[in-house]
mmCIF file of all heavy atoms in Angstrom:
data_model
loop_
_atom_site.group_PDB
_atom_site.id
_atom_site.type_symbol
_atom_site.label_atom_id
_atom_site.label_comp_id
_atom_site.label_asym_id
_atom_site.label_seq_id
_atom_site.Cartn_x
_atom_site.Cartn_y
_atom_site.Cartn_z
ATOM 1 N N LEU M 910 0.883 -1.235 -0.043
ATOM 2 C CA LEU M 910 -0.103 0.025 0.053
ATOM 3 C C LEU M 910 1.079 1.225 0.032
ATOM 4 O O LEU M 910 2.097 1.080 0.264
ATOM 5 C CB LEU M 910 -0.919 0.021 1.206
ATOM 6 C CG LEU M 910 -1.880 -1.056 1.403
ATOM 7 C CD1 LEU M 910 -2.444 -1.114 2.867
ATOM 8 C CD2 LEU M 910 -3.083 -1.014 0.414
ATOM 9 N N LYS M 911 0.331 2.392 -0.411
ATOM 10 C CA LYS M 911 1.173 3.639 -0.202
ATOM 11 C C LYS M 911 0.385 4.729 0.489
ATOM 12 O O LYS M 911 -0.941 4.718 0.369
ATOM 13 C CB LYS M 911 1.604 4.085 -1.600
ATOM 14 C CG LYS M 911 0.460 4.387 -2.584
ATOM 15 C CD LYS M 911 1.003 4.764 -3.999
ATOM 16 C CE LYS M 911 -0.068 5.158 -4.975
ATOM 17 N NZ LYS M 911 0.499 5.590 -6.203
ATOM 18 N N LEU M 912 1.024 5.652 1.004
ATOM 19 C CA LEU M 912 0.279 6.761 1.725
ATOM 20 C C LEU M 912 0.309 7.922 0.645
ATOM 21 O O LEU M 912 1.361 8.246 0.027
ATOM 22 C CB LEU M 912 0.956 7.263 2.920
ATOM 23 C CG LEU M 912 0.930 6.191 4.078
ATOM 24 C CD1 LEU M 912 1.532 6.751 5.345
ATOM 25 C CD2 LEU M 912 -0.470 5.705 4.369
ATOM 26 N N ARG M 913 -0.819 8.589 0.484
ATOM 27 C CA ARG M 913 -1.009 9.657 -0.463
ATOM 28 C C ARG M 913 -0.870 11.110 0.297
ATOM 29 O O ARG M 913 -1.451 11.277 1.318
ATOM 30 C CB ARG M 913 -2.243 9.557 -1.270
ATOM 31 C CG ARG M 913 -2.597 10.620 -2.205
ATOM 32 C CD ARG M 913 -3.737 10.290 -3.089
ATOM 33 N NE ARG M 913 -4.924 10.259 -2.327
ATOM 34 C CZ ARG M 913 -6.177 10.068 -2.733
ATOM 35 N NH1 ARG M 913 -6.348 9.765 -3.948
ATOM 36 N NH2 ARG M 913 -7.218 10.039 -1.927
ATOM 37 N N HIS M 914 -0.194 11.957 -0.524
ATOM 38 C CA HIS M 914 -0.060 13.294 0.018
ATOM 39 C C HIS M 914 0.350 13.558 1.475
ATOM 40 O O HIS M 914 -0.201 14.223 2.195
ATOM 41 C CB HIS M 914 -1.460 14.111 -0.184
ATOM 42 C CG HIS M 914 -1.909 14.048 -1.632
ATOM 43 N ND1 HIS M 914 -3.224 14.073 -2.009
ATOM 44 C CD2 HIS M 914 -1.171 13.962 -2.853
ATOM 45 C CE1 HIS M 914 -3.245 14.123 -3.377
ATOM 46 N NE2 HIS M 914 -2.121 13.894 -3.908
ATOM 47 N N LEU M 915 1.369 12.889 1.854
ATOM 48 C CA LEU M 915 1.961 12.948 3.181
ATOM 49 C C LEU M 915 3.197 13.889 3.131
ATOM 50 O O LEU M 915 4.129 13.504 2.402
ATOM 51 C CB LEU M 915 2.365 11.560 3.705
ATOM 52 C CG LEU M 915 2.622 11.539 5.117
ATOM 53 C CD1 LEU M 915 1.423 11.824 6.039
ATOM 54 C CD2 LEU M 915 3.253 10.165 5.501
ATOM 55 N N SER M 916 3.062 14.881 3.856
ATOM 56 C CA SER M 916 4.213 15.926 3.806
ATOM 57 C C SER M 916 5.510 15.357 4.164
ATOM 58 O O SER M 916 5.744 14.315 5.064
ATOM 59 C CB SER M 916 3.788 16.944 4.839
ATOM 60 O OG SER M 916 4.971 17.812 5.033
ATOM 61 N N ASN M 917 6.640 15.876 3.491
ATOM 62 C CA ASN M 917 7.913 15.362 3.758
ATOM 63 C C ASN M 917 8.390 15.555 5.160
ATOM 64 O O ASN M 917 9.204 14.889 5.665
ATOM 65 C CB ASN M 917 8.951 16.180 2.896
ATOM 66 C CG ASN M 917 9.405 15.365 1.694
ATOM 67 O OD1 ASN M 917 9.424 14.117 1.776
ATOM 68 N ND2 ASN M 917 9.856 16.054 0.649
ATOM 69 N N THR M 918 7.762 16.485 5.939
ATOM 70 C CA THR M 918 8.122 16.752 7.285
ATOM 71 C C THR M 918 7.214 15.902 8.296
ATOM 72 O O THR M 918 7.388 16.204 9.514
ATOM 73 C CB THR M 918 8.015 18.257 7.603
ATOM 74 O OG1 THR M 918 6.656 18.659 7.343
ATOM 75 C CG2 THR M 918 8.915 19.040 6.657
ATOM 76 N N SER M 919 6.379 15.196 7.888
ATOM 77 C CA SER M 919 5.479 14.349 8.744
ATOM 78 C C SER M 919 6.292 13.415 9.640
ATOM 79 O O SER M 919 7.255 12.840 9.241
ATOM 80 C CB SER M 919 4.449 13.554 7.861
ATOM 81 O OG SER M 919 3.645 14.400 7.112
ATOM 82 N N ASP M 920 5.773 13.299 10.834
ATOM 83 C CA ASP M 920 6.336 12.370 11.773
ATOM 84 C C ASP M 920 5.840 11.051 11.645
ATOM 85 O O ASP M 920 4.945 10.474 12.225
ATOM 86 C CB ASP M 920 6.021 12.915 13.340
ATOM 87 C CG ASP M 920 6.634 12.039 14.366
ATOM 88 O OD1 ASP M 920 7.481 11.266 14.044
ATOM 89 O OD2 ASP M 920 6.148 12.117 15.544
ATOM 90 N N ILE M 921 6.565 10.295 10.691
ATOM 91 C CA ILE M 921 6.172 8.932 10.545
ATOM 92 C C ILE M 921 7.639 8.112 10.275
ATOM 93 O O ILE M 921 8.575 8.573 9.868
ATOM 94 C CB ILE M 921 5.336 8.725 9.134
ATOM 95 C CG1 ILE M 921 4.798 7.303 8.998
ATOM 96 C CG2 ILE M 921 6.084 9.102 7.909
ATOM 97 C CD1 ILE M 921 3.709 7.206 8.093
ATOM 98 N N ARG M 922 7.483 6.931 10.855
ATOM 99 C CA ARG M 922 8.816 6.039 10.873
ATOM 100 C C ARG M 922 8.635 4.767 10.384
ATOM 101 O O ARG M 922 7.422 4.250 10.415
ATOM 102 C CB ARG M 922 9.262 6.009 12.350
ATOM 103 C CG ARG M 922 9.478 7.354 13.130
ATOM 104 C CD ARG M 922 9.792 7.051 14.514
ATOM 105 N NE ARG M 922 9.629 8.238 15.247
ATOM 106 C CZ ARG M 922 9.697 8.280 16.664
ATOM 107 N NH1 ARG M 922 9.740 7.128 17.362
ATOM 108 N NH2 ARG M 922 9.734 9.485 17.307
ATOM 109 N N GLN M 923 9.591 4.095 10.029
ATOM 110 C CA GLN M 923 9.552 2.695 9.511
ATOM 111 C C GLN M 923 9.090 1.806 10.762
ATOM 112 O O GLN M 923 9.688 1.943 11.920
ATOM 113 C CB GLN M 923 10.820 2.215 8.982
ATOM 114 C CG GLN M 923 10.812 0.916 8.397
ATOM 115 C CD GLN M 923 12.047 0.653 7.514
ATOM 116 O OE1 GLN M 923 12.782 1.454 7.121
ATOM 117 N NE2 GLN M 923 12.439 -0.642 7.327
ATOM 118 N N GLY M 924 8.176 0.978 10.564
ATOM 119 C CA GLY M 924 7.706 0.033 11.660
ATOM 120 C C GLY M 924 6.376 0.649 12.260
ATOM 121 O O GLY M 924 5.773 -0.008 13.053
ATOM 122 N N ASP M 925 5.965 1.878 11.871
ATOM 123 C CA ASP M 925 4.804 2.366 12.460
ATOM 124 C C ASP M 925 3.540 1.580 11.956
ATOM 125 O O ASP M 925 3.550 1.151 10.774
ATOM 126 C CB ASP M 925 4.559 4.001 12.077
ATOM 127 C CG ASP M 925 5.234 4.905 12.935
ATOM 128 O OD1 ASP M 925 5.578 4.426 14.038
ATOM 129 O OD2 ASP M 925 5.519 6.009 12.501
ATOM 130 N N LEU M 926 2.592 1.324 12.827
ATOM 131 C CA LEU M 926 1.447 0.649 12.513
ATOM 132 C C LEU M 926 0.289 1.554 12.198
ATOM 133 O O LEU M 926 0.032 2.600 13.014
ATOM 134 C CB LEU M 926 0.967 -0.223 13.656
ATOM 135 C CG LEU M 926 -0.320 -1.040 13.451
ATOM 136 C CD1 LEU M 926 -0.202 -2.024 12.261
ATOM 137 C CD2 LEU M 926 -0.695 -1.815 14.712
ATOM 138 N N LEU M 927 -0.422 1.580 11.105
ATOM 139 C CA LEU M 927 -1.524 2.425 10.690
ATOM 140 C C LEU M 927 -2.893 1.725 10.882
ATOM 141 O O LEU M 927 -2.923 0.449 10.434
ATOM 142 C CB LEU M 927 -1.331 2.891 9.213
ATOM 143 C CG LEU M 927 -0.289 4.000 9.227
ATOM 144 C CD1 LEU M 927 1.117 3.450 8.979
ATOM 145 C CD2 LEU M 927 -0.694 4.935 8.055
ATOM 146 N N LEU M 928 -3.784 2.380 11.429
ATOM 147 C CA LEU M 928 -5.180 1.814 11.589
ATOM 148 C C LEU M 928 -6.159 2.535 10.824
ATOM 149 O O LEU M 928 -5.862 3.641 10.435
ATOM 150 C CB LEU M 928 -5.478 1.969 13.081
ATOM 151 C CG LEU M 928 -4.510 1.497 14.148
ATOM 152 C CD1 LEU M 928 -4.998 1.682 15.631
ATOM 153 C CD2 LEU M 928 -4.203 -0.033 14.097
ATOM 154 N N SER M 929 -7.319 1.994 10.629
ATOM 155 C CA SER M 929 -8.355 2.630 10.013
ATOM 156 C C SER M 929 -8.764 3.759 10.943
ATOM 157 O O SER M 929 -8.928 3.605 12.137
ATOM 158 C CB SER M 929 -9.549 1.726 9.724
ATOM 159 O OG SER M 929 -10.013 0.939 10.861
ATOM 160 N N SER M 930 -9.057 4.999 10.391
ATOM 161 C CA SER M 930 -9.384 6.259 11.270
ATOM 162 C C SER M 930 -10.823 6.339 11.471
ATOM 163 O O SER M 930 -11.311 6.984 12.413
ATOM 164 C CB SER M 930 -8.799 7.498 10.612
ATOM 165 O OG SER M 930 -9.515 7.781 9.438
ATOM 166 N N GLY M 931 -11.617 5.710 10.580
ATOM 167 C CA GLY M 931 -13.098 5.869 10.639
ATOM 168 C C GLY M 931 -13.723 7.089 10.047
ATOM 169 O O GLY M 931 -14.880 7.225 9.971
ATOM 170 N N LEU M 932 -12.855 7.904 9.543
ATOM 171 C CA LEU M 932 -13.213 9.172 8.738
ATOM 172 C C LEU M 932 -13.997 8.707 7.545
ATOM 173 O O LEU M 932 -13.511 7.729 6.838
ATOM 174 C CB LEU M 932 -12.065 10.143 8.482
ATOM 175 C CG LEU M 932 -11.405 10.580 9.675
ATOM 176 C CD1 LEU M 932 -10.269 11.640 9.229
ATOM 177 C CD2 LEU M 932 -12.421 11.389 10.670
ATOM 178 N N GLY M 933 -14.982 9.363 7.188
ATOM 179 C CA GLY M 933 -15.763 9.109 6.001
ATOM 180 C C GLY M 933 -16.802 8.061 6.214
ATOM 181 O O GLY M 933 -17.768 7.878 5.425
ATOM 182 N N GLY M 934 -16.819 7.371 7.333
ATOM 183 C CA GLY M 934 -17.853 6.384 7.726
ATOM 184 C C GLY M 934 -17.908 5.059 6.919
ATOM 185 O O GLY M 934 -18.813 4.266 7.207
ATOM 186 N N ARG M 935 -17.004 4.789 6.000
ATOM 187 C CA ARG M 935 -17.051 3.618 5.260
ATOM 188 C C ARG M 935 -16.432 2.481 6.072
ATOM 189 O O ARG M 935 -16.987 1.368 6.017
ATOM 190 C CB ARG M 935 -16.229 3.863 3.974
ATOM 191 C CG ARG M 935 -16.196 2.552 3.116
ATOM 192 C CD ARG M 935 -17.589 2.045 2.769
ATOM 193 N NE ARG M 935 -18.396 3.011 2.033
ATOM 194 C CZ ARG M 935 -18.551 2.996 0.821
ATOM 195 N NH1 ARG M 935 -17.884 2.122 -0.027
ATOM 196 N NH2 ARG M 935 -19.360 3.946 0.154
ATOM 197 N N PHE M 936 -15.265 2.693 6.883
ATOM 198 C CA PHE M 936 -14.714 1.680 7.557
ATOM 199 C C PHE M 936 -14.716 2.076 9.006
ATOM 200 O O PHE M 936 -14.517 3.229 9.395
ATOM 201 C CB PHE M 936 -13.235 1.512 7.196
ATOM 202 C CG PHE M 936 -13.031 0.896 5.844
ATOM 203 C CD1 PHE M 936 -12.752 1.630 4.707
ATOM 204 C CD2 PHE M 936 -13.030 -0.538 5.703
ATOM 205 C CE1 PHE M 936 -12.588 1.121 3.437
ATOM 206 C CE2 PHE M 936 -13.033 -1.138 4.421
ATOM 207 C CZ PHE M 936 -12.691 -0.319 3.285
ATOM 208 N N PRO M 937 -15.009 1.123 9.984
ATOM 209 C CA PRO M 937 -15.050 1.408 11.425
ATOM 210 C C PRO M 937 -13.491 1.674 11.808
ATOM 211 O O PRO M 937 -12.582 1.354 11.217
ATOM 212 C CB PRO M 937 -15.480 0.204 12.104
ATOM 213 C CG PRO M 937 -15.293 -0.912 11.034
ATOM 214 C CD PRO M 937 -15.419 -0.237 9.740
ATOM 215 N N ALA M 938 -13.509 2.504 12.859
ATOM 216 C CA ALA M 938 -12.064 2.953 13.308
ATOM 217 C C ALA M 938 -11.326 1.959 14.158
ATOM 218 O O ALA M 938 -12.067 1.075 14.781
ATOM 219 C CB ALA M 938 -12.182 4.185 14.199
ATOM 220 N N GLY M 939 -10.069 1.878 14.131
ATOM 221 C CA GLY M 939 -9.250 1.164 15.005
ATOM 222 C C GLY M 939 -8.840 -0.246 14.505
ATOM 223 O O GLY M 939 -8.167 -1.043 15.246
ATOM 224 N N TYR M 940 -9.021 -0.512 13.170
ATOM 225 C CA TYR M 940 -8.606 -1.772 12.717
ATOM 226 C C TYR M 940 -7.242 -1.710 11.858
ATOM 227 O O TYR M 940 -6.954 -0.713 11.182
ATOM 228 C CB TYR M 940 -9.667 -2.357 11.719
ATOM 229 C CG TYR M 940 -10.851 -2.888 12.411
ATOM 230 C CD1 TYR M 940 -11.970 -2.073 12.557
ATOM 231 C CD2 TYR M 940 -10.972 -4.111 13.054
ATOM 232 C CE1 TYR M 940 -13.169 -2.358 13.189
ATOM 233 C CE2 TYR M 940 -12.103 -4.575 13.666
ATOM 234 C CZ TYR M 940 -13.186 -3.645 13.788
ATOM 235 O OH TYR M 940 -14.338 -4.060 14.448
#
């Protein structure tokens, strides 16, 4: 997968786990 439109200065690191945020109402949050 890839992240779209994430700023170069964003605080993100290798090994970070990403979860569904729940925004938009399509997917429940926290998965």
Side-chain angles (χ1 to χ4, degrees):
L910 297 168
K911 64 181 180 181
L912 296 185
R913 181 172 61 180
H914 300 156
L915 191 66
S916 171
N917 255 334
T918 59
S919 298
D920 180 15
I921 190 165
R922 306 171 187 170
Q923 190 167 335
D925 274 342
L926 177 64
L927 282 87
L928 311 176
S929 55
S930 67
L932 297 179
R935 180 55 62 94
F936 291 96
Y940 289 95

